[in-house]
Amino acid sequence: MQRIGLGYDVHRFAPGRPLILGGVRIEHDQGLAGHSDADAVLHAVTDAILGAIAAGDIGEHFPDTDPKWAGADSAVFVRRALELADKQGFRIGNCDVTIMAERPKLTSHKAAMRRRIAELLGVEPSAVSVKAKTNEGMGCIGRAEGIAAMAVVMLASK
Ligand code: MG
């Protein structure tokens, strides 16, 4: 048996914050605003896992009104979603991520994000794909007001 889940997230840029994407710290002149570490990629991956098991969304499990999650490493959210999937008898098959960012250029960071996401999901890097693209200058992403990410996760029965 297989299940598929889709996740999406977006965070706006904010000065004075580190930029963390896919569990990797990326040098940039600003980071993303958010209650946790604002890792839009891991949030999308978390929502994809939750979606695959029809277990709600990241906001229900980790409300941004809860001080417990202030500044949290988003790896915590991925691990919790994986635990829920595990309880339902599923393991990760593969994960495919697309990041939409006008800046910074992410080409040189994709391999590290891929390795980190694979490590968190407990799969080989060959089961994780990280793609990055700009928004061709259009809309809020195109104006570099923030970064968005989409993720698809396939779960397979253990
Ligand atoms: Mg988020």
Side-chain angles (χ1 to χ4, degrees):
M1 172 118 126
Q2 291 187 320
R3 299 292 293 263
I4 192 165
L6 168 69
Y8 168 80
D9 197 28
V10 62
H11 284 257
R12 62 175 66 236
F13 276 121
R17 296 208 13 127
L19 176 60
I20 299 171
L21 287 176
V24 174
R25 184 166 176 158
I26 292 168
E27 279 312 311
H28 192 47
D29 58 1
Q30 51 191 342
L32 295 174
H35 186 61
S36 64
D37 66 4
D39 187 332
V41 172
L42 292 192
H43 294 183
V45 170
T46 301
D47 256 351
I49 299 167
L50 291 173
I53 56 170
D57 61 39
I58 193 168
E60 291 171 39
H61 290 270
F62 313 102
D64 62 8
T65 49
D66 189 337
K68 185 162 55 171
W69 308 120
D73 175 350
S74 295
V76 170
F77 307 150
V78 175
R79 288 197 193 98
R80 177 68 185 138
L82 274 180
E83 277 172 27
L84 294 172
D86 180 75
K87 275 188 194 147
Q88 292 198 25
F90 290 105
R91 62 173 175 79
I92 297 290
N94 72 300
C95 173
D96 183 22
V97 171
T98 296
I99 306 168
M100 287 147 283
E102 213 68 19
R103 303 191 269 279
K105 195 105 183 87
L106 295 173
T107 311
S108 61
H109 302 284
K110 288 190 292 187
M113 288 190 268
R114 187 180 176 205
R115 282 194 301 273
R116 178 59 179 150
I117 294 166
E119 181 181 39
L120 286 170
L121 297 180
V123 297
E124 294 298 318
S126 60
V128 175
S129 155
V130 174
K131 312 183 298 301
K133 62 203 298 130
T134 71
N135 216 39
E136 297 283 333
M138 296 181 290
C140 58
I141 299 297
R143 291 188 297 271
E145 293 172 12
I147 290 178
M150 290 190 291
V152 175
V153 162
M154 177 73 83
L155 299 182
S157 298
K158 286 190 291 181

